[in-house]
Amino acid sequence: MLGVATFNGAWDSPSAAAEIPVAQVSTPVLPGSGQVYEVWRCDTPATSGQRQRVRFRGTADMLFGCIA
């Protein structure tokens, strides 16, 4: 997994929280949708890192990052 974007709530995965960047998007979703997540996945090993406020995770071909 490269990262997660949340649109209506917090990501509940404390075991992966240290390595997986989570982007909390402040965009309204349709009423009654509950918690909406967009999960970025990859089929190759990924590495995580942080530079100042930017958390990221990527492979040779893809990169997911967010500013917190």
Side-chain angles (χ1 to χ4, degrees):
M1 181 184 312
L2 287 176
V4 176
T6 66
F7 293 90
N8 200 22
W11 176 250
D12 290 334
S13 183
S15 63
E19 289 191 23
I20 308 298
V22 177
Q24 296 181 348
V25 181
S26 298
T27 301
V29 296
L30 295 173
S33 297
Q35 294 178 334
V36 178
Y37 306 108
E38 178 179 303
V39 179
W40 286 40
R41 299 180 189 270
C42 60
D43 58 359
T44 58
T47 57
S48 300
Q50 182 169 348
R51 286 193 71 128
Q52 298 178 359
R53 294 178 26 198
V54 178
R55 293 187 63 211
F56 59 89
R57 187 161 169 85
T59 67
D61 299 318
M62 294 188 72
L63 178 68
F64 180 95
C66 60
I67 297 173

